[in-house]
């Protein structure tokens, strides 16, 4: 596999201190090379997952025995919906570290592979009790998604009902948990309750990690008007009497869990 171009401003020092420590088992030049590729994975994974995947494969070829590299390769594969590959990399990283942090992601890979029953089995495994609070919430989200994969919407709703959902404090997972609950309620035909929980998701979603505001607007029947279309409409109707621009179609990004 060819090396991929890396911007000069990427030094490799940007990576997490723990990862840098892991790479110390490698010769310095190799460690720096791997680190720079890992930085590119982190930099691109949200906006250009395919590009991130390419850099992860380079890092994997250079240092497949480093757990952080296997984990990064897993995340990049996961971002590209390569669930079988992601699962293999997450399992390898877990064997190397002995930690359970990746357990929810591994379960979600099972969902991606069309095995929701396996994901539910993992949700009930002893490993879940070793997860931190964020990991346990993530596992709950995966389990609810698995229930919905199996057509068990009411069971998904019950799965999401938890102290974390009822809490008024806003945590990093709050918006996604409320969103998943609202979406499940809507799927069950409980429109009024769904609207309430989409509104609660909006309150918690400070960084726009969900499209809760769009979903709420849809339920309220709000129509979005494109500013350019509005200007064109005004020009076309000028002097005709009503001067009203045509409204754009409702924004619909589809259901997400």
């Amino acid at each position: 596999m060819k090396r991929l171009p890396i911007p000069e401003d990427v030094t490799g020092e940007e990576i997490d201190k723990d990862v840098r420590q892991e790479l110390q088992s490698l010769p310095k030049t190799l460690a720096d090379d791997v680190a720079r590729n890992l930085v590119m994975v982190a930099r691109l994974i949200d906006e250009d997952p395919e590009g991130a995947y390419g850099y992860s494969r380079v890092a994997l070829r250079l240092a497949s025995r480093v757990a952080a590299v296997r984990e990064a390769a897993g995340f990049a594969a996961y971002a590209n919906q390569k669930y079988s590959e992601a699962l293999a990399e997450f399992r390898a990283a877990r064997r190397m570290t002995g930690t359970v942090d990746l357990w929810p992601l591994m379960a979600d890979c099972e969902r991606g592979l069309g095995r929701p029953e396996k994901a539910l089995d993992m949700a009930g495994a002893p490993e879940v009790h070793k997860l931190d609070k964020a990991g346990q919430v993530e596992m709950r989200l995966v389990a609810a998604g698995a229930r919905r994969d199996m057509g068990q919407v009411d069971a998904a709703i019950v799965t999401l009902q938890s102290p974390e959902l009822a809490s008024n404090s806003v945590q990093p997972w709050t918006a996604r948990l409320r969103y998943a609950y609202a979406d499940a309620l809507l799927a069950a035909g409980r429109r009024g309750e769904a609207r309430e929980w989409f509104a609660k998701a909006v309150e918690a979603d400070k960084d726009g990690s969900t499209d809760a505001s769009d979903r709420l607007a849809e339920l309220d029947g709000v129509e979005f008007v494109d500013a350019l279309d509005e200007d064109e409409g005004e020009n076309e109707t000028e002097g005709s009497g009503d001067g009203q621009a045509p409204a754009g179609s409702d924004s619909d990004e589809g259901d997400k869990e």
Side-chain angles (χ1 to χ4, degrees):
M1 179 184 294
K2 293 182 179 180
R3 303 290 178 93
L4 298 175
I6 297 177
E8 291 183 5
D9 66 311
V10 175
T11 66
E13 295 295 330
E14 302 90 340
I15 63 172
D16 185 80
K17 181 176 65 176
D18 293 338
V19 177
R20 169 60 70 176
Q21 192 168 2
E22 271 193 72
L23 295 177
Q24 286 180 356
S25 62
L26 304 173
K28 187 178 187 311
T29 302
L30 179 58
D32 290 343
D33 200 1
V34 173
R36 295 179 74 213
N37 278 280
L38 292 181
V39 170
M40 293 304 297
V41 173
R43 180 179 286 192
L44 296 175
I45 197 161
D46 290 330
E47 301 300 325
D48 180 14
E50 189 174 342
Y53 179 77
Y55 285 101
S56 77
R57 300 307 294 177
V58 174
L60 191 60
R61 180 172 61 83
L62 295 173
S64 62
R65 296 185 180 181
V66 176
V69 171
R70 302 303 289 266
E71 186 172 324
F75 275 108
Y78 181 84
N80 284 275
Q81 300 183 0
K82 299 176 183 290
Y83 297 117
S84 181
E85 191 175 315
L87 183 57
E89 298 300 341
F90 289 147
R91 283 173 173 166
R94 181 168 179 264
R95 283 196 302 270
M96 292 175 176
T97 63
T99 64
V100 297
D101 298 349
L102 296 170
W103 195 253
L105 278 164
M106 291 165 62
D108 207 38
C109 286
E110 296 287 0
R111 282 187 62 211
L113 291 168
R115 301 193 291 250
E117 297 89 351
K118 177 62 176 174
L120 286 177
D121 287 344
M122 293 179 69
E127 284 83 354
V128 175
H129 300 295
K130 300 176 184 177
L131 293 168
D132 61 14
K133 182 62 69 177
Q136 290 179 4
V137 170
E138 196 65 37
M139 194 71 245
R140 190 177 291 277
L141 287 165
V142 172
R147 289 293 186 189
R148 291 192 62 178
D149 293 343
M150 299 165 69
Q152 301 172 2
V153 179
D154 289 338
I157 291 171
V158 172
T159 298
L160 292 167
Q161 291 170 346
S162 61
E164 293 80 21
L165 179 69
S167 175
N168 289 323
S169 70
V170 175
Q171 303 295 334
W173 59 76
T174 303
R176 292 178 58 237
L177 186 58
R178 292 177 178 178
Y179 183 99
Y181 189 58
D183 196 45
L185 288 168
L186 189 60
R190 295 159 64 174
R191 187 181 179 92
E193 292 171 86
R195 190 211 173 279
E196 176 188 347
W197 282 96
F198 275 127
K200 290 182 178 181
V202 170
E203 291 174 4
D205 193 1
K206 304 302 181 186
D207 59 358
S209 62
T210 74
D211 65 343
S213 59
D214 291 343
R215 301 293 299 281
L216 183 62
E218 290 169 19
L219 286 174
D220 288 344
V222 175
E223 291 187 337
F224 296 95
V225 179
D226 187 288
L228 292 176
D229 289 345
E230 185 174 307
D231 290 342
E232 291 174 3
E234 288 177 352
N235 291 335
E236 290 173 2
T237 56
E238 189 172 343
S240 66
D242 64 10
Q244 184 174 352
S249 61
D250 288 356
S251 173
D252 183 1
E253 298 193 11
D255 290 353
K256 296 182 183 176
E257 288 163 18

